[in-house]
Amino acid sequence: MFKNWLSPLLSALCVLAAFDLWANESHTIPPEQRGAVILQYHHVSDTGPRSTSVTPAEFRQQMQYLKDNGFTVIQLSALVDAIRQQTPLANKSVVITFDDGYQDIAANAHPILAEFGFPYTLFVAIEPIEKGYRNMMDWATLAALAKEGAEIANHSYGHEYLVRMSAGETATQWLARVSDNIERTEATILAHTGQSHKTLAYPYGEYNADLQEWLAQQGYIALGQQSGAAGWSSGLTALPRFPVAGPYADMSSLSVKMHSLNMPVEQQNIHDPLLKDGQWRPQLQITLDMTDIHRHQMMCFIQGQGAKAPQWISENSFTIQAELDLPPGRSRYNCTAPSKATGRYYWFSQAWVRPRDDGSWPTH
Ligand SMILES: [Zn+2]
C-alpha cells in the first residue's frame, strides 16, 4: 500500500527534478553562447573594387585576429543546428562566407583559410560560371574546393533581384519563376560538386515574406545582407551577416562586430521587408528579453536618416519608425545595446526593400 502510492510520487518528483534541471540549464546558457557572427566577403584581392574587397594582407590579419582572440570558426550548418535546437555554441563563434564565387577567393583566400584550418561557405550564381567570365571560378575549381571541405551553396541562377516582379507578372507566376530559379541552381551545384545544402544567400540581400515562406516549406535556410549577430532569436530564412570590405574592413570596427551578440528579440510586428502601397515609413515594434540590457542604452539608426531614439511602449517593447520616406531600393533599421554582463554589443538589423511609387524598381 505504502509502496504503491510512494512509487508514482517518487517518479513524479524525479520527472519534476529532471525538468527543473533541464529548464535551469537552458536558462543559464549565457547570451554569448546563443549564436555566432557571420562574416560576408566578396573579393580577397589587391585589385578588386574597394567597396567589395579586402586585400589578402587584410584578410590574413582578420583570420589571425580570430585565432589570437579565442574565436572558433564553425561551419554554417553548425550554427543552423544550434538555432534549430536552441543548443549552445562555443563563445565567440564565427562563420565565414563568400558571395559570387570570384576567382580571387580560390587564389588568395582559400590558401589562408586552409593554413588556419577554418571552414567556409561559398555562395555561387550559375550563369556567370557557365558563361565563363574570366574573374569567376569555374566548375573544376569549385569541385576541387568542395573536395577540400568548402561548402558550395545557392546564390540564385543569374544573380537576380528575386523579390522584384516583372511587369505584368502575377504573384503566382512570380513565385513559380523564382522557386524554379532556386531549384535549378541547387540541382546544378549538386551535379558539379556533389553538394546540396539547401542554403541560399539572397542576391543584394533582398527578400520578402512570400519567398521566405516558400523557402521554409522546402527546408531551405537563407541569409540576408542586413548586419547583426545570428543566433537563437534569428529567423532561419533571414540570417544576418556583417559585410567585410572597404571601410568595413578596418580591424577596430570589425572587432566590435566579431564580438557582437544576437539581440534577444522575442517578438516583432513586421515580418515582411517588402514595403507596399505607399507605406514607406514602416513602424517596427520589437519585444525583447531585457535581462542583460539597460533600456536607456538601446541605440537605433535609420539608414540615410541617422540616429533615432527608440520609443519605449512597455518595460520590454519599443518602436522605431523613419521620419522621412525610405527611398526606392534597399534600406535598414539598426539597433544596438551593450550587454550589462560583458559590454559586448547586441546587434539587430531589419532589412527593407521598396519599389518606386509607380511600381518600377531602381537598378541598385
Ligand atoms: Zn552576390
Side-chain angles (χ1 to χ4, degrees):
M1 175 90 174
F2 180 75
K3 203 179 161 198
N4 277 352
W5 67 260
L6 187 62
S7 159
L9 180 65
L10 277 177
S11 49
L13 280 173
C14 282
V15 168
L16 277 175
F19 180 77
D20 195 44
L21 189 67
W22 171 81
N24 277 336
E25 267 180 14
S26 138
H27 195 71
T28 53
I29 301 300
E32 53 272 25
Q33 285 184 258
R34 296 181 184 204
V37 164
I38 309 175
L39 303 177
Q40 181 202 13
Y41 293 91
H42 284 92
H43 291 281
V44 175
S45 161
D46 285 311
T47 53
R50 189 59 192 153
S51 63
T52 52
S53 302
V54 298
T55 67
E58 286 170 329
F59 188 72
R60 173 174 289 282
Q61 184 199 15
Q62 290 158 8
M63 298 305 104
Q64 191 69 47
Y65 181 89
L66 293 174
K67 185 183 171 191
D68 293 346
N69 290 277
F71 286 85
T72 304
V73 179
I74 60 171
Q75 291 277 19
L76 180 54
S77 51
L79 168 61
V80 169
D81 288 346
I83 295 174
R84 275 210 179 107
Q85 293 154 25
Q86 305 277 286
T87 47
L89 288 163
N91 181 16
K92 299 203 271 189
S93 288
V94 166
V95 173
I96 298 171
T97 69
F98 301 90
D99 282 14
D100 302 343
Y102 293 108
Q103 176 57 36
D104 56 63
I105 300 309
N108 302 330
H110 177 78
I112 296 173
L113 289 159
E115 184 187 321
F116 281 86
F118 291 165
Y120 64 94
T121 301
L122 281 172
F123 291 101
V124 298
I126 305 303
E127 211 170 58
I129 306 173
E130 309 253 290
K131 287 190 172 164
Y133 292 148
R134 194 177 46 83
N135 60 346
M136 311 306 286
M137 284 184 239
D138 58 18
W139 284 119
T141 306
L142 285 163
L145 296 182
K147 230 176 175 176
E148 287 188 51
E151 289 188 343
I152 316 294
N154 197 320
H155 198 33
S156 82
Y157 202 84
H159 208 279
E160 289 87 359
Y161 294 97
L162 295 179
V163 306
R164 304 181 181 196
M165 276 193 194
S166 309
E169 194 174 43
T170 67
T172 310
Q173 288 166 335
W174 164 78
L175 187 59
R177 173 172 62 82
V178 167
S179 56
D180 174 66
N181 177 316
I182 293 164
E183 285 179 329
R184 271 191 302 137
T185 307
E186 195 70 17
T188 309
I189 292 171
L190 175 62
H192 287 281
T193 68
Q195 297 189 8
S196 175
H197 300 286
K198 296 190 95 172
T199 302
L200 171 73
Y202 300 114
Y204 313 100
E206 293 187 5
Y207 60 96
N208 67 15
D210 289 338
L211 179 53
Q212 287 182 282
E213 193 187 331
W214 180 84
L215 290 166
Q217 281 167 1
Q218 305 300 315
Y220 275 87
I221 301 302
L223 296 83
Q225 295 185 15
Q226 76 280 14
S227 57
W232 288 8
S233 301
S234 301
L236 284 170
T237 53
L239 293 173
R241 294 189 288 172
F242 284 109
V244 191
Y248 304 117
D250 165 63
M251 205 57 243
S252 64
S253 65
L254 185 56
S255 69
V256 174
K257 294 171 183 168
M258 286 171 168
H259 283 90
S260 67
L261 303 171
N262 184 225
M263 187 73 82
V265 174
E266 290 177 342
Q267 228 179 313
Q268 70 179 72
N269 65 330
I270 302 177
H271 292 276
D272 194 350
L274 178 60
L275 304 177
K276 290 176 190 142
D277 307 324
Q279 305 292 307
W280 311 141
R281 301 176 193 184
Q283 188 188 60
L284 184 65
Q285 183 180 323
I286 290 175
T287 303
L288 293 171
D289 174 355
M290 297 293 289
T291 312
D292 189 37
I293 296 172
H294 289 296
R295 70 188 224 175
H296 69 272
Q297 290 183 317
M298 182 69 65
M299 297 277 293
C300 296
F301 295 87
I302 292 174
Q303 192 179 0
Q305 300 180 30
K308 182 93 172 76
Q311 299 295 306
W312 289 91
I313 56 172
S314 76
E315 279 306 305
N316 62 342
S317 296
F318 68 86
T319 63
I320 176 92
Q321 183 170 24
E323 277 169 27
L324 306 167
D325 288 354
L326 298 179
R330 294 179 292 283
S331 300
R332 309 269 189 269
Y333 289 178
N334 288 341
C335 297
T336 60
S339 154
K340 286 187 209 172
T342 63
R344 289 163 63 176
Y345 278 85
Y346 290 101
W347 194 307
F348 169 87
S349 178
Q350 173 66 47
W352 307 107
V353 59
R354 66 154 279 202
R356 295 194 189 98
D357 289 316
D358 67 2
S360 67
W361 289 91
T363 53
H364 58 78

